[in-house]
Amino acid sequence: MKKGEQMTKKNTAELIVEMLEEAGGEYIFCIPGGATEDLNIALHKTDKIKPIVTKHEQGAAFIADGYARVSGKLGICCATAGPGASNLITGIASAFSDSIPILALTGQVATSVFGKGAVQESGSEGVNITSIFRNFTKYSGMLINEQRAPFMVEKAIKLASSSTGRPGPVHLSLPADVMKKPAVQREKHTFSVHNSRLFSRDGVNKAAEILLNAKRPAIIVGWGVALSRAADELYELATLLNIPVATSPKAKGTFPENEKLSLGVLGFAGSPVAKEYIVENDIDVLLAVGTSFNEMMTSGWDERLKPTECLIQIDIDDEIIGKNYLASIDLVGDARAALEEILHSAERIISIERNKLRKSNSPRLNRKKKISDGVYPDRLKGTACKTEITKLKKKHHLVPVTNFKRAGLYNPRALVEDIQKNVPENSIYFADIGTSMAWAIRYLNMKNPYSFFVALGFCSMGYAVAAPVGAKLAFPDRPIIALVGDGSFLMNGTEVATAVNYGIPVVWVVFNNSMLGMVHHGRKLFETPIPEGIPSGFKQVDFAKMAEGMGARGITIKGPKRITRQMMNGILAKGQSTGIPTVIDVHIDEKAVPPIHSRIETVDKHFG
Ligand SMILES: Cc1ncc(C[n+]2csc(CCOP(=O)(O)OP(=O)(O)O)c2C)c(N)n1
Ligand SMILES: [Mg+2]
């Protein structure tokens, strides 16, 4: 033991649990195994962190993600060595792609037997789990001894929670012998998340000036705005400067979609209004906030997205700026802080100009004049852009559903609209990867921020089957609605049993089309349709029965039956009172063509 270090009565596993508690950990999503027994014993001694045992480690990672994604808190998951750890991979990779703060703990055989062929050895002499995780985490390390343990755990938690740049998953491998060692005494630390405020003052002022003077500006916001919880600041800036806003599919709802200035979603399954306003017409100044301009948002990096005069780009990650489109003004920093600063700067400029105006005018005129009358004429005064948007909304007024309804089958668009009509406005939605996501992005009208979630970074099927379980734990009083395909449900549907086990009343709506519809429709939409070498269809599954088999409620909707207010009220009320989750198995019109054309064009152009 070194000078200054004292041994305490607890062991290292108990110290880790103590640190997780201090970091605000409420749940640990996990499947136990021999290599994690010390952690298990340590968890047994506390009632502050509740273990939620899932049915598959991928589910544990996705559920931790769902918890973290909706709440902004750290999600914690844990798996045993070897296959337990490797089963986490897709979930952690998905969290990495979407910058979700997760701490993944995995078991490890004792360091004393490294290299001897121990069961599930996962160190450098076996399947090197730490090294595998290094490829898609902000940090992956093995606690090689008890002395380094407190530092490494603290570092992992801090890195996950974004004290440096974007948040993201981290991984720690826990050798069994180190876990048993007496814990090193450490100085207590207060955990706090610091959002970096690195952007330049000059850049902020310049951005405000340019936005104020722009003729036809627009704002595009990405997932970074949701991550930094910047919806209020975005709203204030957009309304003050009278600038239309489009969001990426992932950031859907961060600007209220019912607002006059809302263009809706730009990109995959997005709104034709956003496309026409921003892509098909010239924008002189574009403010991009927390978006990497990825494929899904830009419909394959459409050149027409470039503004004619100036791109102002805000991102916490310097590496993102200018990655796909050249930025004239770059503001490296947290989206919320940067938007707030631009807002203050714009207000300052407006008030200076107003004073100038006052001085130069007669007192009589003065009282009536507003800044928008003189200095920044047409735009700030602004009905012009709102009128244009309203016209576009009318022009694209989405064809009534009845026009493309096949008798007796539920049109997926009607399904999405019926669900939204009949559940409370504070509901949180998840959409899985598949056509359900496309229908949801296009036809849900999100008024509340941080209430619509798609894991579009990694696009893993099955995400939205498991993640809502974590979301419901984070927000027990809000309805959690998961819109999922039947193929996706078959991947992680066993997590319904996890929800049943812990009384977590999520509502899953399964879009039952007996096919991997995204693949099926995608193939057909190409100019020369792609043949079915690997089939996309499969035999229909009875998801209500599957749900009932796991102890959940199962409801089948087929034929002329529709989702109604009474039905949803009943499902949600019963869920809240009993804790029993529900699976609604809806037989949809499998022939309805989903709004995925932009993706097909991208694949054709870039991967064809
Ligand atoms: C884990 C994983 N495997 C494969 C894919 C490719 N993929 C994307 S969507 C999709 C089909 C989804 O089918 P389903 O869940 O039934 O939804 P649908 O499209 O039919 O609505 C497939 C196979 C993927 N994104 N993720
Ligand atoms: Mg399907």
Side-chain angles (χ1 to χ4, degrees), residues 324-342:
N324 290 320
Y325 298 91
L326 204 68
S328 313
I329 296 187
D330 57 319
L331 298 173
V332 180
D334 171 62
R336 179 145 57 105
L339 286 172
E340 212 176 0
E341 291 299 322
I342 296 177

Side-chain angles (χ1 to χ4, degrees), residues 486-487 511 513 515-517:
D486 46 3
F511 288 51
N513 55 5
M515 61 163 78
L516 303 167

Side-chain angles (χ1 to χ4, degrees), residues 423-451:
V423 298
E425 210 173 280
N426 72 342
S427 297
I428 293 176
Y429 297 87
F430 279 79
D432 216 299
I433 305 303
T435 61
S436 58
M437 156 183 86
W439 294 110
I441 290 172
R442 176 66 68 88
Y443 295 110
L444 281 180
N445 189 351
M446 295 307 302
K447 295 177 192 155
N448 297 327
Y450 328 127
S451 301

Side-chain angles (χ1 to χ4, degrees), residues 313-583:
Q313 193 171 1
I314 300 171
D315 208 282
I316 194 131
D317 193 345
D318 204 1
E319 193 246 338
I320 295 294
I321 293 179
K323 181 167 136 172
N324 290 320
Y325 298 91
L326 204 68
S328 313
I329 296 187
D330 57 319
L331 298 173
V332 180
D334 171 62
R336 179 145 57 105
L339 286 172
E340 212 176 0
E341 291 299 322
I342 296 177
L343 183 70
H344 292 328
S345 178
E347 282 168 343
R348 256 193 317 273
I349 298 170
I350 290 174
S351 104
I352 290 168
E353 292 299 327
R354 194 173 279 158
N355 284 339
K356 275 194 213 157
L357 206 67
R358 261 195 208 118
K359 281 179 194 155
S360 66
N361 282 316
S362 75
R364 194 178 56 80
L365 268 178
N366 199 3
R367 253 174 274 126
K368 283 192 202 148
K369 276 208 179 252
K370 284 204 220 99
I371 182 71
S372 47
D373 294 332
V375 188
Y376 310 103
D378 299 329
R379 240 212 47 253
L380 279 197
K381 202 164 22 179
T383 48
C385 68
K386 286 182 190 153
T387 312
E388 187 181 342
I389 295 170
T390 309
K391 266 194 204 150
L392 284 177
K393 281 179 182 164
K394 275 195 192 133
K395 172 178 159 189
H396 291 291
H397 192 66
L398 312 151
V399 195
V401 168
T402 42
N403 287 5
F404 50 92
K405 193 170 75 179
R406 279 208 295 148
L409 287 163
Y410 220 136
N411 180 278
R413 169 184 166 185
L415 174 59
V416 164
E417 290 176 341
D418 283 354
I419 291 165
Q420 186 163 39
K421 251 191 289 176
N422 295 307
V423 298
E425 210 173 280
N426 72 342
S427 297
I428 293 176
Y429 297 87
F430 279 79
D432 216 299
I433 305 303
T435 61
S436 58
M437 156 183 86
W439 294 110
I441 290 172
R442 176 66 68 88
Y443 295 110
L444 281 180
N445 189 351
M446 295 307 302
K447 295 177 192 155
N448 297 327
Y450 328 127
S451 301
F452 175 80
F453 298 98
V454 273
L456 270 176
F458 207 50
C459 284
S460 176
M461 282 169 71
Y463 169 81
V465 182
V469 177
K472 186 69 184 168
L473 287 171
F475 286 109
D477 298 330
R478 292 176 68 180
I480 307 283
I481 315 287
L483 309 174
V484 302
D486 46 3
S488 303
F489 194 83
L490 288 166
M491 286 194 180
N492 281 336
T494 48
E495 298 308 340
V496 170
T498 305
V500 169
N501 207 25
Y502 294 97
I504 305 169
V506 170
V507 177
W508 287 270
V509 181
V510 181
F511 288 51
N512 190 332
N513 55 5
S514 308
M515 61 163 78
L516 303 167
M518 185 83 156
V519 174
H520 174 86
H521 287 287
R523 285 172 175 169
K524 282 177 71 170
L525 283 173
F526 281 97
E527 214 172 300
T528 313
I530 300 174
E532 291 256 308
I534 304 173
S536 57
F538 50 85
K539 223 170 164 187
Q540 192 157 56
V541 174
D542 185 335
F543 293 100
K545 268 198 186 149
M546 191 174 157
E548 279 161 11
M550 289 185 277
R553 284 185 79 195
I555 294 170
T556 304
I557 296 194
K558 60 179 169 187
K561 221 168 137 190
R562 291 289 178 268
I563 298 267
T564 62
R565 173 65 60 93
Q566 197 191 8
M567 178 193 293
M568 290 315 293
N569 280 349
I571 288 170
L572 293 170
K574 201 157 177 194
Q576 287 305 109
S577 64
T578 61
I580 298 172
T582 302
V583 175

